[in-house]
Each structure stands twice: as C-alpha cells, then as structure tokens.
Amino acid sequence: MALQPAESATLLPLANAPSLSRKGTQKALLAALLAVFSIVAVAFAFSQSSTPTPLAAYPAMTTRGLLKCPAACSRGLGRINPFKMPSSTRRLSLRGGAMTEIAKGVSFDTVAREWRMKWSGDEDKQSLVAAQEALNDVLSEVKAVPGVKSVQRVVCGGCLDFKVITSLEGDKFGEWESSGFKPEEKFIEKVKAIPGISFVETQTYTLMPM
C-alpha cells in the first residue's frame, strides 16, 4: 500500500504571533495578581480572628455587663466597675442609702467580691486547713476596707468548695476596686501555693436581700 504524505501543520502567520503572546501574558499576569490578592486577604482575615485582644483593650464592665456574667468575670480577668453605669440605669434613694436600678424592679445597694477555690480531702483535709489559715492571715485587713458590710466564708464538704464573700456598700466598692481589691493578690498567691488547692477564681456581683 502506498504511503500517503502527512498533512502539513497549519502555521499561524508570523504577524499574529506577537499579538497572541501578549494577550496570553496579560491573562496570566492578571490571574497571578488575583491569586496573590486572595492569599493576602485570607491571611489577613485569619490573623484578625486568631489574634486575641489584649486584656487592657477591654473597657471596664458596666452594671448591664454584670448580668451577663462573662467567663472573663468568673476567672477574675475582667475589670468590673458597676458604677460606670449606662444611661439605662439610675440611682435611687431607698432605705436611707444609695440604690442602683439595673432594670425596672431590679435594684441593688451591695456589691460583693468572691474568692473561691476547690480543696482536697487528702491528708485529712490539710488543704482546707491551710486555706483557712491563709484567710485568717488577711481577715483583719479585709474587714478594715472602707464600706465593708460583711465577710462570709462558704465551705461545702460535697463539692469541696471554699469561698470568701466580701460585701461592700455600693458606693464604696469602686474605691476598693481601684486599689486592686487589697489584700486579694496576697491571698490568691498564698492559696495557689497550697498543695491540694485548685480552680482558684475571683468574681464580682451584686447582692440584694429579698
């Protein structure tokens, strides 16, 4: 069988070659720029969501914020000041003292600071004994804080809770807060060093007899 000659390839005119090459380069460059822009945008969004906000950037908590009781509050991380009140709260004068109304029918005149932790039953409850001794060491200092109404201790043998609740007159609490709740730091450092003590936390909240 006779071999048929191969069909010759169709070549583009040389005049068209530079034009096609330039268009292809422009498209490739545009695609590369879009890809780089997308990567930068994703990286920026990720960095914004994964970078924690510094604690100092958080504003002082308002009375309204107390009702939400955020996790930062329970861990003692929040700067809580129930006297920097939003416009929706107002002062009342009842029972001879200043009252703060958070919402209609919800008012208070006492603010409390709580120190709490868990103790262990090991070694005949030595961690509980040491926690009480640490409290005894600062008790007179706590009671001397201006505006203190009461200092209460809560101990639960089932949940192994040890809590100290210091209640102050509402209009005096801000002064104690500005001092760092002295002697809170000294007490917290001492109980954290006690073997068997765990989950040491602080919290601020309002109190009102019903």
Side-chain angles (χ1 to χ4, degrees), residues 153-185:
R153 187 206 63 199
V154 178
V155 176
C156 177
C159 297
L160 306 182
D161 287 326
F162 184 93
K163 303 179 181 182
V164 181
I165 303 171
T166 304
S167 304
L168 275 75
E169 298 172 6
D171 54 0
K172 296 291 186 180
F173 184 84
E175 299 176 14
W176 190 35
E177 181 193 34
S178 64
S179 73
F181 303 110
K182 290 182 180 180
E184 178 177 290
E185 184 176 359

Side-chain angles (χ1 to χ4, degrees), residues 11-92:
L11 299 177
L12 293 171
L14 290 177
N16 293 337
S19 176
L20 291 174
S21 176
R22 188 162 48 250
K23 289 180 180 179
T25 301
Q26 291 173 346
K27 290 181 178 180
L29 180 60
L30 180 60
L33 289 174
L34 290 175
V36 171
F37 178 81
S38 299
I39 293 173
V40 171
V42 171
F44 177 79
F46 179 80
S47 66
Q48 292 298 305
S49 62
S50 61
T51 302
T53 304
L55 181 60
Y58 288 98
M61 194 172 294
T62 62
T63 305
R64 180 179 297 174
L66 282 173
L67 297 179
K68 298 179 181 178
C69 193
C73 167
S74 64
R75 293 195 302 269
L77 298 180
R79 290 286 296 165
I80 301 172
N81 189 344
F83 305 101
K84 293 183 178 179
M85 296 175 293
S87 58
S88 60
T89 63
R90 59 194 179 98
R91 296 278 182 159
L92 303 175

